[in-house]
Amino acid sequence: QVWQIRLDMHLLNHDGNITDAASIAGIVALCHFRRPDVSVQGEEVTVYTPEERDPVPLSIHHMPICVSFAFFHQGTYLLVDPTEREERVMDGLLVIAMNKHHEICTIQSSGVVMLVQDQILRCSKITAVKVVEITELIQKALENDQKASRKEGGKFGFAESIPNQRITAFKMESAAVDTNDVEEQAGEIIAKADPPAEVFANPVLHTPGTAQIGEGIESSWGDLEESEKEEAAEEEGDSEAAAFECEKVETEDTSTRRETKNDEPIVLSDSEEEEVVVLEPQELPRKTR
């Protein structure tokens, strides 16, 4: 059994370098989160409520922090933490994610600038210093929040969010809906609405295999390209030639047949070789040419 955790981020104000801000917000949210305590006995799993047991934090082994670098004039100038205006005129962007143990988690480069080895090494050294500073700020903020919550005697994290409904921000209280005069209200709305410019009683078939109901533009899905039209024409010509050949063979077969009675033998004549073949009735096949 595993926990499934989803992290949603909503941007309230974007003034540049959204990657670094999102990485810090995400790691802080995961460190601050508390999940319900669980006990497992055989195949029986028990999830305890916050009132029964205090929620426990997630097992986070390290904090990967992103640091972004903007390059200008084909990498001549380097800028850390670019703003929105600086991102508009930069030539390239390099994002390095690293933890406080100087372990690189990911590197992403974008833009039109070509970076050399010395530039990437320089950015990695700057990232190592910045990550240590940001990690210390995050840990200090989490400790202060925990001390303040314990000093007040209240719960924090997941347990505190449940009664205040902070997790379900868009939740609304249930309310009764009056459905007595729904038809009258619907009739009034329809009467006040403007009629459509054109009503299509039946589906509009622009091309075989497509259909359209209501207003809209013609679809070009059924249109064939020039090469497809040529292939279709060739296939149609081949099918017509095959049909003509088949009809010709059937005509020749019909001309060589002779109607006879059941007890009389069948006599077939070949006009070219002037040969006569006599078959007894019991030896007649289904089709005789």
Side-chain angles (χ1 to χ4, degrees):
Q1 302 290 337
V2 298
W3 286 102
Q4 180 180 2
I5 301 176
R6 188 184 71 181
L7 178 61
D8 296 330
M9 295 188 182
H10 301 273
L11 305 182
L12 303 180
N13 184 16
H14 177 25
D15 193 27
N17 196 12
I18 192 62
T19 303
D20 295 5
S23 68
I24 295 174
I27 195 65
V28 171
L30 294 175
C31 293
H32 189 267
F33 178 74
R34 298 292 187 273
R35 65 169 179 82
D37 196 6
V38 178
S39 64
V40 181
Q41 295 180 357
E43 296 183 356
E44 182 180 358
V45 180
T46 304
V47 180
Y48 297 97
T49 62
E51 289 75 17
E52 296 174 345
R53 289 189 183 181
D54 291 336
V56 295
L58 302 178
S59 300
I60 299 179
H61 303 288
H62 66 102
M63 298 183 183
I65 305 297
C66 294
V67 180
S68 299
F69 301 89
F71 294 92
F72 303 88
H73 294 284
Q74 298 300 321
T76 304
Y77 300 100
L78 172 65
L79 182 63
V80 184
D81 190 13
T83 62
E84 193 269 338
R85 290 187 176 182
E86 293 167 345
E87 289 180 350
R88 292 184 180 181
V89 297
M90 67 181 179
D91 295 334
L93 181 69
L94 178 66
V95 180
I96 301 178
M98 184 183 297
N99 56 22
K100 66 178 182 180
H101 306 294
H102 297 179
E103 296 174 346
I104 296 179
C105 303
T106 182
I107 296 179
Q108 181 183 9
S109 178
S110 59
V112 297
V113 63
M114 298 294 293
L115 301 177
V116 297
Q117 181 179 358
D118 295 339
Q119 292 174 316
I120 298 177
L121 292 176
R122 180 188 175 190
C123 293
S124 63
K125 293 179 181 179
I126 298 174
T127 302
V129 177
K130 293 292 182 181
V131 166
V132 173
E133 297 177 357
I134 296 173
T135 303
E136 292 179 356
L137 292 175
I138 292 174
Q139 292 176 346
K140 188 179 296 184
L142 292 173
E143 291 175 0
N144 294 337
D145 180 77
Q146 187 174 358
K147 290 179 181 178
S149 301
R150 289 181 175 177
K151 186 177 181 180
E152 295 176 358
K155 296 182 179 181
F156 58 92
F158 184 81
E160 186 230 353
S161 301
I162 292 178
N164 296 332
Q165 295 184 357
R166 293 183 180 179
I167 297 178
T168 56
F170 298 102
K171 182 179 178 181
M172 298 180 63
E173 296 294 337
S174 59
V177 179
D178 186 11
T179 59
N180 294 328
D181 55 347
V182 173
E183 296 182 359
E184 297 179 0
Q185 295 180 3
E188 294 178 359
I189 295 174
I190 295 174
K192 294 179 181 179
D194 296 333
E198 186 177 359
V199 178
F200 294 91
N202 299 320
V204 181
L205 299 177
H206 295 289
T207 55
T210 62
Q212 176 179 326
I213 301 176
E215 295 188 27
I217 59 176
E218 294 187 2
S219 174
S220 60
W221 294 348
D223 296 343
L224 299 177
E225 300 292 341
E226 295 296 333
S227 58
E228 296 177 348
K229 290 181 179 179
E230 294 178 359
E231 294 177 358
E234 292 178 359
E235 293 178 357
E236 184 178 358
D238 295 341
S239 62
E240 291 180 356
F244 177 76
E245 190 70 22
C246 181
E247 182 179 357
K248 181 179 178 181
V249 172
E250 291 180 356
T251 304
E252 293 178 353
D253 293 345
T254 305
S255 62
T256 57
R257 293 176 183 175
R258 297 292 185 270
E259 296 181 357
T260 62
K261 295 181 181 181
N262 294 334
D263 298 335
E264 296 179 356
I266 297 178
V267 180
L268 302 180
S269 62
D270 193 338
S271 59
E272 296 179 358
E273 299 180 2
E274 296 296 332
E275 293 181 358
V276 178
V277 180
V278 179
L279 298 178
E280 296 299 329
Q282 63 272 15
E283 298 178 359
L284 290 177
R286 293 184 179 180
K287 293 184 180 180
T288 307
R289 297 184 180 180

